[in-house]
């Protein structure tokens, strides 16, 4: 037991006073004799014994009364178990990602957590609230009541390590108590490892009653026909027993097609056919679980011809004219000597076909071309200068040529997951007519392999920067060195390398992935590009690239949907945004990651738990009560003890 004011205990010496008073009473007894002496003597003895007992009882009562009063003023207490953290600041991390749309026993997990915070947080409690989308520092529950009631789900997935980093970066002279409210969907062990230094980390883990869910994963062009696109809608099922799920296709909110689907496997692809016209809509399903992943917005532009130039000898480039046909491409070939550099900026793809040397002026122009969103294809020459080509490739990173090998190699590996072949193969092909090369360069390569040799080295590599790609072959593909031109795989390879994805594909960006987008437009001095729809409008980060504008969206828009890119209210291009699907698998709960930390059952227990561990056990009230009891006891002794 400890005392707040131990110096008051010196007043316990005052207990001597009642002792002295009781020991040195000045009153004397006078002897009186009566006729019935025997009876009166016996009565006198009894009275003196009773009086002596009463005096001792009163003395004890008064001593204890005085002692308890002195001790009460000294304010005794038992020190708290966790008193060193009594001054800690409280931080509440609230998961408002889309997985918190799942329903628990009392409704949606996020809405229930918000309601519990509003009901059970003391009005005088100071804390900071951090969510996936907003931060409220050093506040109280009344100040943020309206914000909590209007809190929306965040397009950013729940990343605990990032939120903890925000808290650690918040300067404070005190230690921190961190309470994390999350369903732990997608929570990775490495996110919690960074929090091991935080000894006062608590978790509240609300649980969903139902984890079954269907998600629309993506939409892609499955097949290009003469006048139609066959688009594929990929769906993922998490759980079992999904039957007669309605799926509908809309163009500008107008219903185009509708059907029912059943899931025989975890993944299913549904095909729709749409005209080769501008399409600005979405595909939607209806299930009884999460809502956010039931709609996928996408835009398809009316097909435009892609512009492709090859630079090299016309004889070696003749095969390209058979791939880049006039119906889909504006293709032309130039020798290095006859090349007009002014044409390069207008192209979608440029092929360097076995150039012995790449002039410095061309290197500079091509570097700028790639930065503006153009695709570059490099086919080496056996007589290429390694210094020259490596200096050029160093502008893009990842690939360097080494010595020329003269051994024949067979091309046997296809990277089916690469975007170049995403819609080419219906299934993986294990046995096909393998092409070969007689001579090839050894390559130091950190870029992804697209096509590979049987010895696991790369034949075709790709360097991607988000808006364009640089494709590099390890060997010349002329007929004297390779039979690659006779292989069926050459057509989809060069066809897709020459395509501008924005001209001939589906535009559907993911919010918060920050993937840049190129718009072909000429902006004036004070003109800016805006992105808007009926609900939202924002100005993206933009960089003018001659006749193009590079847009970066950061964490915009706030809500998924179909948008238009506009200049002075004139629509330039359609674009669509979707939420990331990382929260769709509700069974992906990793509670083991937080097993080493304290778990609190509900919001109501947060403040009770912290108070119980941090508050000293004050005892002065009990001593005041005891003092009052002895006051009453003294009165009773005076009245009833004779």
């Amino acid at each position: 037991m400890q005392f707040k004011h131990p110096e008051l205990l010196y007043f316990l010496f005052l207990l001597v006073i009642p002792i002295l008073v009781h020991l040195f009473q000045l009153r004397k007894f006078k002897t009186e004799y009566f006729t019935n002496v025997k009876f009166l003597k016996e009565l006198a003895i009894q009275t003196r014994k009773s009086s002596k007992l009463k005096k001792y009882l009163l003395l004890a009562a008064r001593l204890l009364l005085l002692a308890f009063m002195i001790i009460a003023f000294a304010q005794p207490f038992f020190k708290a178990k966790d008193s060193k953290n009594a001054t800690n600041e409280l931080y509440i991390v609230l998961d408002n990602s889309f997985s918190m749309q799942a329903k628990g026993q009392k409704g949606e997990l996020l809405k229930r957590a918000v309601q519990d915070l509003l009901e059970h947080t003391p009005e005088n409690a100071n804390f900071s609230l951090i969510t996936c989308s907003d931060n409220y520092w050093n506040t109280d529950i009344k100040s943020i009541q309206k914000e909590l009631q209007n809190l929306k789900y965040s397009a950013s997935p729940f990343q605990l390590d990032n939120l903890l980093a925000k808290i650690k970066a918040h300067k404070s002279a005190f230690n921190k108590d961190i309470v994390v409210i999350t369903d732990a969907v997608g929570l990775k062990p490495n996110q919690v490892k960074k929090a091991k230094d935080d000894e006062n980390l608590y978790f509240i883990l609300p649980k969903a009653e139902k984890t079954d869910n269907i998600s629309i994963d993506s939409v892609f062009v499955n097949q290009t026909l003469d006048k139609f696109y066959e688009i594929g809608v990929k769906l993922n099922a998490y759980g079992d027993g999904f039957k007669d799920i309605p799926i509908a296709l809309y163009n500008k909110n107008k219903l185009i097609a509708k059907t029912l689907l059943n899931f025989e496997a975890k993944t299913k692809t549904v095909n729709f056919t749409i005209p080769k016209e501008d399409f600005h809509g979405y595909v939607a399903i209806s299930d009884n679980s999460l809502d956010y992943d039931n709609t996928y917005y996408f835009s398809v532009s009316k097909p435009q011809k892609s512009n492709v130039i090859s630079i090299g000898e016309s004889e070696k480039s003749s095969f390209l004219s058979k791939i880049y046909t006039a119906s889909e491409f504006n293709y032309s070939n130039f020798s290095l000597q006859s090349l007009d550099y002014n044409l390069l900026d207008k192209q979608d793809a440029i092929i360097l076909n076995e150039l012995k040397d790449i002039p410095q002026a061309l290197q500079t122009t091509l570097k700028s071309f790639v930065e503006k969103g153009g695709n570059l294809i490099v086919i080496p020459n056996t007589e290429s200068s390694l210094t020259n080509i490596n200096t050029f490739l160093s502008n893009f990173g990842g690939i360097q040529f080494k010595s020329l090998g003269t051994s024949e190699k067979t091309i046997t590996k296809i990277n089916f997951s690469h975007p170049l072949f995403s819609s080419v193969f219906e299934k993986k092909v294990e046995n096909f007519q393998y092409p070969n090369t007689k001579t090839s360069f050894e390559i130091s390569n950190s870029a992804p392999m697209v096509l590979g040799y049987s010895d696991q080295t790369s034949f075709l590599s790709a360097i991607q920067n988000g808006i364009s790609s640089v494709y590099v072959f390890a060997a010349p593909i002329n007929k004297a060195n390779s039979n690659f031109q006779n292989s069926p795989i050459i057509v989809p390879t060069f066809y897709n390398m020459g395509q501008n994805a924005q001209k001939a594909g589906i535009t559907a960006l993911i919010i918060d992935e920050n993937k840049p987008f190129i718009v072909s437009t000429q902006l004036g001095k004070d003109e800016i590009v805006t992105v808007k729809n009926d609900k939202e409008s924002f100005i993206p980060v933009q960089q003018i690239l001659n006749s193009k504008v590079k847009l970066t969206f950061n964490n915009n828009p706030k809500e998924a949907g179909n948008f238009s890119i506009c200049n002075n209210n004139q629509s330039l291009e359609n674009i669509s945004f979707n939420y990331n699907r990382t929260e769709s698998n509700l069974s992906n709960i990793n509670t083991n990651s937080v097993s080493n930390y304290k778990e609190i059952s509900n919001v109501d227990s947060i403040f009770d738990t912290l108070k119980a561990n941090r508050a000293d056990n004050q005892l002065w009230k009990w001593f005041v009560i005891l003092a009052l009891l002895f006051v009453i006891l003294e009165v009773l002794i005076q009245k009833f003890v004779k």
Side-chain angles (χ1 to χ4, degrees), residues 77-84 86 611-617:
F77 65 91
F78 286 120
K79 196 171 183 179
K81 296 178 182 179
D82 193 19
S83 59
K84 66 178 182 178
K611 185 177 179 180
N613 293 334
R614 308 283 171 76
D616 295 330
N617 189 6

Side-chain angles (χ1 to χ4, degrees), residues 41 90 130 137 191 196 201 225 281 294 312 333 342 344 355 365 431 450 504 543 576 609 634:
K41 275 188 176 182
L90 177 61
I130 298 89
W137 303 105
Q191 294 180 359
K196 282 191 173 180
L201 188 62
L225 306 174
N294 288 350
N333 179 76
N342 294 323
L344 298 182
L355 298 182
T365 303
N431 187 12
V450 181
Q543 179 184 0
S576 298
T609 300
E634 181 179 353

Side-chain angles (χ1 to χ4, degrees), residues 14 121 127 129 149 207 259 290-291 293 314 317 345 422 541 559 592:
L14 296 176
T121 303
F127 62 93
L129 179 69
Q149 290 172 337
K207 296 180 180 179
T259 186
L290 301 181
D291 292 330
D293 55 7
S314 58
S317 303
D345 194 49
S422 60
V541 178
E559 295 185 13
N592 293 330

Side-chain angles (χ1 to χ4, degrees), residues 569-582:
N569 294 322
Q570 180 182 357
S571 180
L572 302 175
E573 197 166 341
N574 291 328
I575 189 171
S576 298
F577 292 90
N578 293 283
Y579 300 121
N580 199 312
R581 265 46 178 173
T582 54

Side-chain angles (χ1 to χ4, degrees), residues 301-341:
S301 299
K302 185 177 180 179
Q304 305 174 34
K305 291 183 179 182
S306 294
N307 301 319
V308 180
I309 277 182
S310 63
I311 307 172
E313 298 178 12
S314 58
E315 293 180 1
K316 293 182 178 180
S317 303
S318 59
F319 74 96
L320 293 172
S321 61
K322 299 176 183 178
I323 299 173
Y324 300 127
T325 58
S327 60
E328 296 182 83
F329 295 89
N330 295 317
Y331 168 73
S332 55
N333 179 76
F334 295 90
S335 65
L336 186 58
Q337 293 75 19
S338 62
L339 177 64
D340 182 359
Y341 281 34

Side-chain angles (χ1 to χ4, degrees), residues 98-99 101-102 213 287 289-294 583-584 586:
F98 281 111
S99 64
Q101 275 186 344
N213 184 46
D287 65 358
S289 190
L290 301 181
D291 292 330
Y292 90 99
D293 55 7
N294 288 350
E583 304 279 329
S584 294
L586 293 176

Side-chain angles (χ1 to χ4, degrees), residues 370-381:
V370 171
E371 291 174 348
K372 295 175 183 178
N375 291 339
L376 177 64
I377 301 128
V378 180
I379 305 172
N381 191 307

Side-chain angles (χ1 to χ4, degrees), residues 93-250:
V93 178
L94 178 59
D95 180 2
N96 65 327
S97 62
F98 281 111
S99 64
M100 294 287 282
Q101 275 186 344
K103 295 178 176 59
Q105 293 181 349
K106 298 181 180 180
E108 291 184 17
L109 299 183
L110 177 62
K111 292 182 179 180
R112 185 66 255 174
V114 167
Q115 190 62 33
D116 287 346
L117 283 172
L118 293 173
E119 289 180 358
H120 302 297
T121 303
E123 292 185 0
N124 60 345
N126 188 270
F127 62 93
S128 297
L129 179 69
I130 298 89
T131 70
C132 301
S133 52
D134 300 290
N135 305 315
Y136 305 95
W137 303 105
N138 299 324
T139 186
D140 57 72
I141 197 64
K142 273 193 171 181
S143 301
I144 61 171
Q145 180 177 354
K146 184 175 293 185
E147 286 81 0
L148 276 175
Q149 290 172 337
N150 297 325
L151 183 63
K152 295 182 179 180
Y153 292 98
S154 170
S156 303
F158 180 69
Q159 296 179 327
L160 181 58
D161 50 347
N162 292 346
L163 300 179
L164 291 176
K166 284 185 182 181
I167 294 175
K168 290 179 181 179
H170 188 67
K171 294 182 180 180
S172 173
F174 302 97
N175 293 329
K176 301 170 181 177
D177 293 320
I178 303 174
V179 179
V180 182
I181 306 174
T182 177
D183 56 1
V185 170
L187 185 65
K188 299 177 181 178
N190 62 340
Q191 294 180 359
V192 187
K193 283 181 181 178
K194 296 182 180 181
K196 282 191 173 180
D197 295 336
D198 299 306
E199 296 179 357
N200 303 305
L201 188 62
Y202 305 86
F203 282 88
I204 297 177
L205 302 173
K207 296 180 180 179
E209 289 189 320
K210 182 181 178 182
T211 59
D212 294 343
N213 184 46
I214 300 175
S215 166
I216 302 178
D217 179 80
S218 58
V219 177
F220 56 92
V221 176
N222 189 44
Q223 189 176 4
T224 302
L225 306 174
D226 290 338
K227 296 183 179 180
F228 297 92
Y229 285 128
E230 183 183 80
I231 63 169
V233 181
K234 182 182 177 183
L235 302 100
N236 294 326
Y238 305 100
D240 299 310
F242 296 111
K243 294 182 179 180
D244 297 331
I245 303 298
I247 180 170
L249 179 67
Y250 295 85

